[in-house]
Amino acid sequence: MAKKKKDNWFKKLLKAVVGVYLLLIVFQLLGDAYSKLQTTHEIPISEEWNLIVVNRWNEIPEEYVVDLIELSNGQKVDSRIYPALQEMFDAARAEGIYPIVGEGYRTAEEQQKILDDKIQAYINEGYSRARAEKTAKEWVALSGTSEHQLGIAVDINADKSKCSNDEVYTWLTENAYKYGFILRYPMGKQEITGTSYEPWHYRYVGVEVAKDIYEQGICLEEYME
C-alpha cells in the first residue's frame, strides 16, 4: 500500500513539473510573439519627409506639413512628388499605358467621411453597428492614419478609354520604383502594413529607397526597421 501511495505521489509530482514546463514554454512563445509585434508595429518617426511611416499603429506626426499642387483632374498631391509623378506618367504614356490619379491628398475630414460612409453602407446591408465598424476599418483607415493625408501617396488607375487597370497595375509593378514610387501594400504583407493588397496604391519614397525595397521584395515597414 505504501509503495502504491508513493507511486501516485510521484506521478502527481511529475505531472506538476511537466505542467509548469509547458506553461513556461507558452509564456516564452507569447513573449516572443509580443516582442515581434512591438517591433513590427512601432516605428520611430523619420526625420525625412519621404520616409515617414503611417499606418494603423503609427499616426501622422502633428508637425507634418503638406505643400499641395492641384492636378489637371482636380486631385491634389504634395508638390515635392509632382515632378517624379509627372515623369512616371509620361514614361508610361510613351509605352501606350495611360494612368490617372484616381485619389490623391485627403483632409482629415474627408478621410473620416469615407470611413463613416463605409460603416453606414455595411449597416444598410444588415450588419450590426459593431460588425459594420470592424469590417469597415479593415478597408478604410482611421483619420490620422491614412497615407492619403500625407499627400505623397496616390491611387493610380487607368484612363479606361485608352487602356485597362490591369495594364496600368502591371506597368507600375515593373517600373514605378525607377521614379521613386513603391507599391505600398504588397500581397502577403497585410500583417505588417495593416492593409490588404492594393495594386493601385503607390507611395513616394525616393529613387534609391524605392529601388532597395523593390529588389528586396519588402514593404516600407520592413525597410524602416
Side-chain angles (χ1 to χ4, degrees):
M1 180 65 72
K3 185 177 184 300
K4 186 176 181 180
K5 286 183 178 180
K6 186 177 181 180
D7 289 343
N8 288 338
W9 177 86
F10 179 79
K11 288 179 181 179
K12 289 180 180 180
L13 178 62
L14 183 60
K15 285 182 180 180
V17 171
V18 171
V20 171
Y21 178 74
L22 291 175
L23 193 59
L24 289 173
I25 292 177
V26 170
F27 279 130
Q28 180 64 47
L29 291 174
L30 288 174
D32 292 343
Y34 180 77
S35 297
K36 183 178 180 182
L37 188 65
Q38 292 295 97
T39 302
T40 300
H41 292 173
E42 296 180 3
I43 298 175
I45 298 174
S46 172
E47 295 181 359
E48 300 179 66
W49 62 271
N50 57 308
L51 296 181
I52 291 174
V53 175
V54 171
N55 55 32
R56 65 177 59 194
W57 306 286
N58 297 270
E59 295 187 0
I60 298 171
E62 291 183 4
E63 66 276 13
Y64 185 82
V65 178
V66 294
D67 178 22
L68 299 174
I69 184 171
E70 187 169 327
L71 307 180
S72 59
N73 66 350
Q75 293 295 326
K76 297 177 182 180
V77 298
D78 192 299
S79 61
R80 292 171 291 188
I81 76 167
Y82 179 74
L85 183 67
Q86 188 62 54
E87 184 182 3
M88 182 169 71
F89 276 27
D90 287 344
R93 290 169 184 142
E95 296 183 30
I97 304 298
Y98 296 88
I100 61 171
V101 174
E103 193 76 19
Y105 172 76
R106 293 179 193 150
T107 64
E109 293 74 22
E110 288 170 335
Q111 184 64 34
Q112 185 61 49
K113 185 178 186 305
I114 291 173
L115 178 59
D116 291 340
D117 289 347
K118 192 71 170 177
I119 292 171
Q120 188 58 52
Y122 281 122
I123 290 175
N124 293 342
E125 290 180 19
Y127 286 45
S128 66
R129 164 65 65 170
R131 186 184 174 200
E133 290 182 358
K134 181 178 183 298
T135 306
K137 289 173 184 176
E138 292 176 0
W139 295 98
V140 181
L142 290 169
S143 180
T145 67
S146 170
E147 280 204 332
H148 283 287
Q149 291 175 246
L150 291 174
I152 59 177
V154 287
D155 288 346
I156 303 177
N157 301 116
D159 179 343
K160 294 292 186 59
S161 66
K162 297 178 180 179
C163 66
S164 68
N165 279 336
D166 285 343
E167 288 176 301
V168 168
Y169 301 156
T170 298
W171 190 91
L172 289 171
T173 299
E174 297 172 354
N175 297 281
Y177 75 93
K178 301 173 185 176
Y179 306 92
F181 289 86
I182 59 168
L183 175 62
R184 183 63 180 89
Y185 306 121
M187 195 175 294
K189 301 291 186 179
Q190 181 176 354
E191 291 186 5
I192 302 174
T193 64
T195 302
S196 300
Y197 171 57
E198 292 186 357
W200 54 82
H201 187 105
Y202 278 78
R203 152 74 188 266
Y204 184 81
V205 294
V207 175
E208 184 178 341
V209 175
K211 185 173 183 291
D212 285 345
I213 288 175
Y214 174 81
E215 291 179 346
Q216 295 181 56
I218 57 178
C219 61
L220 181 58
E221 283 83 355
E222 290 173 307
Y223 179 85
M224 293 304 294
E225 286 170 4

